[in-house]
Amino acid sequence: QLVSLRGRRPKNKKAGFTLAQMLEWERLSWKIHAGKKNPSRRILVLRAIYQASFSCQWRRSESTVKKGKWRWQKHLSRADIKYFDEVGNEVLATKSRLKKLLNTAKGYVQIQSPPCKNDQSGEGVTSRFMSLLPLDGEGIFQPGRAVLNMEIEDPCETGSRARTPCFLDPETGEAFKTFQFDQFVIWAVKEASRLFHHKVLSEKEARSMYSLHSFRVGGTNALRTVGAPQHVRCFAGRWISTAVQEYDRQEIREMLTYMKKAQRQDCKLFLFLFLFLLRIISSSKGCSPLGIRVPGFLSYIRVLKTDIGKRMLPSPPASLLPRFGRNQFRAGRLTMTTFRVNACLARRPCQNQ
């Protein structure tokens, strides 16, 4: 009823962030967002948030606090992060052991995402599908190392990890707010566009293309780009249905590619049928009504050669041949039949028939 009254509700799909964009962010000067109390630590926290949001495919409410205060039952805490070495043994989150793990550059970080809209109790997909961030990656973009560096810079005792926010803002001493992280992301999009692409974007233009949900979109498309199957993408994004396809931004290009191929096949089929009809109409004279001679590669359509061996052809296609064609089939003969109006195909019998 609401649709009939107000019409369809338009929903604009946001673009997903790419790895190339985030590599450009690393080349920017983050001094404007570094704060005053502890600039180096705040930069580490911002880097850990955006890189983990991309790899863990978090929604905006899963990595930051949107409204109200941080609650350990609902939001991400330090207890949700665990560290493992190369053989799968858990490493205690002490400063010395984490430094040793960072120096070896082997192992991975495991993060359990907070409760979300499709698992509000936190006992479903969020507890079964863990986010895994390897520590032995290459390049600048390494979310596992970013989270590990943040933990080493601001360690937390084992007993208080469950009551400590995962991403603490050094300026306020509380969990990072959604609007603060949103301001940083929009600034990075505008600044990278201006410096590296010589295109000035207004805040409205930047927000029309991107949002904090673009990390989730970009993460699943990055997995598809490298050939990850759908069940792996569902595992990484904590999907329990085919809703992962709604975040796919490559289906438009793929659909256009397949439609072009299909159109080329349709054109070939149309050309074949057109020449086939011309040959049928002018089979006796060898030319079309317009006086254009049909190419020789379709001359086989004019005749049908069938070797029926020593017996009559009892198959249904032979009984369905036109009257003036069926009477010309005789046992043990190689016949040539011309079809002027109707054309039917007869199969060649097997050796045992």
Side-chain angles (χ1 to χ4, degrees), residues 219-233 250 254:
T220 184
N221 280 275
L223 288 177
R224 179 172 179 175
T225 302
V226 298
Q230 183 171 333
H231 72 276
V232 174
R233 288 182 281 138
Q250 296 182 358
E254 291 184 357

Side-chain angles (χ1 to χ4, degrees), residues 170-215:
E171 291 293 300
T172 61
E174 299 178 352
F176 245 94
K177 300 292 183 181
T178 301
F179 76 92
Q180 295 174 327
F181 183 48
D182 180 70
Q183 289 176 353
F184 164 75
V185 171
I186 297 300
W187 167 83
V189 170
K190 293 168 54 180
E191 195 70 9
S193 177
R194 183 181 65 86
L195 292 179
F196 304 114
H197 303 282
H198 307 288
K199 183 178 180 181
V200 179
L201 295 176
S202 63
E203 184 171 350
K204 184 178 180 180
E205 292 174 337
R207 292 186 181 278
S208 65
M209 293 185 292
Y210 301 102
S211 66
L212 294 185
H213 211 73
S214 298
F215 288 106

Side-chain angles (χ1 to χ4, degrees), residues 51-58 80-85 88 107-113 126-137 141-145 147 223 232 235-238:
Q51 292 194 8
S53 297
F54 183 84
S55 297
C56 300
Q57 302 178 26
W58 282 332
D80 296 323
I81 306 177
K82 295 182 180 180
Y83 304 92
F84 295 87
D85 57 15
Y108 61 93
V109 180
Q110 174 183 291
I111 302 181
Q112 179 178 347
S113 299
T126 56
S127 61
R128 298 200 310 268
F129 298 166
M130 303 289 183
S131 298
L132 305 177
L133 310 179
L135 296 175
D136 55 351
F141 185 83
Q142 296 194 31
R145 285 173 170 266
V147 174
L223 288 177
V232 174
F235 181 92
R238 300 167 301 284

Side-chain angles (χ1 to χ4, degrees), residues 10-262:
K11 185 177 180 181
N12 297 326
K13 287 188 176 183
K14 301 294 184 181
F17 289 127
T18 62
L19 182 61
Q21 281 181 288
M22 291 181 285
L23 293 179
E24 291 175 352
W25 296 356
E26 292 293 336
R27 298 165 57 186
L28 299 176
S29 176
W30 294 10
K31 186 179 295 185
I32 188 175
H33 292 278
K36 297 181 179 179
K37 292 186 178 181
N38 197 330
S40 60
R41 181 182 296 179
R42 198 168 198 267
I43 289 177
L44 289 176
V45 175
L46 284 172
R47 180 176 288 112
I49 293 178
Y50 93 79
Q51 292 194 8
S53 297
F54 183 84
S55 297
C56 300
Q57 302 178 26
W58 282 332
R59 303 174 180 89
R60 73 177 82 189
S61 59
E62 293 177 341
S63 58
T64 55
V65 179
K66 187 175 180 180
K67 294 181 180 179
K69 294 185 177 181
W70 179 89
R71 295 191 305 172
W72 66 273
Q73 305 96 331
K74 181 181 178 182
H75 298 101
L76 201 64
S77 67
R78 291 288 179 90
D80 296 323
I81 306 177
K82 295 182 180 180
Y83 304 92
F84 295 87
D85 57 15
E86 58 181 335
V87 295
N89 297 323
E90 185 175 356
V91 178
L92 293 179
T94 61
K95 191 171 184 178
S96 59
R97 296 191 178 185
L98 293 180
K99 280 186 175 182
K100 184 178 179 181
L101 181 63
L102 180 64
N103 293 330
T104 58
K106 294 181 180 180
Y108 61 93
V109 180
Q110 174 183 291
I111 302 181
Q112 179 178 347
S113 299
C116 53
K117 62 181 182 181
N118 62 339
D119 182 22
Q120 298 183 8
S121 65
E123 300 176 352
V125 293
T126 56
S127 61
R128 298 200 310 268
F129 298 166
M130 303 289 183
S131 298
L132 305 177
L133 310 179
L135 296 175
D136 55 351
E138 299 178 357
I140 300 177
F141 185 83
Q142 296 194 31
R145 285 173 170 266
V147 174
L148 189 57
N149 284 323
M150 179 195 70
E151 186 91 50
I152 293 174
E153 179 67 21
D154 185 19
C156 180
E157 296 181 359
T158 306
S160 59
R161 290 182 67 83
R163 302 302 177 97
T164 304
C166 180
F167 302 110
L168 273 173
D169 186 1
E171 291 293 300
T172 61
E174 299 178 352
F176 245 94
K177 300 292 183 181
T178 301
F179 76 92
Q180 295 174 327
F181 183 48
D182 180 70
Q183 289 176 353
F184 164 75
V185 171
I186 297 300
W187 167 83
V189 170
K190 293 168 54 180
E191 195 70 9
S193 177
R194 183 181 65 86
L195 292 179
F196 304 114
H197 303 282
H198 307 288
K199 183 178 180 181
V200 179
L201 295 176
S202 63
E203 184 171 350
K204 184 178 180 180
E205 292 174 337
R207 292 186 181 278
S208 65
M209 293 185 292
Y210 301 102
S211 66
L212 294 185
H213 211 73
S214 298
F215 288 106
R216 186 168 174 83
V217 177
T220 184
N221 280 275
L223 288 177
R224 179 172 179 175
T225 302
V226 298
Q230 183 171 333
H231 72 276
V232 174
R233 288 182 281 138
C234 290
F235 181 92
R238 300 167 301 284
W239 277 287
I240 56 177
S241 65
T242 57
V244 63
Q245 299 174 358
E246 295 293 328
Y247 291 80
D248 198 344
R249 297 298 182 267
Q250 296 182 358
E251 77 279 6
I252 297 178
R253 282 174 288 183
E254 291 184 357
M255 180 60 71
L256 290 175
T257 302
Y258 287 118
M259 290 301 293
K260 290 179 181 178
K261 291 182 179 179

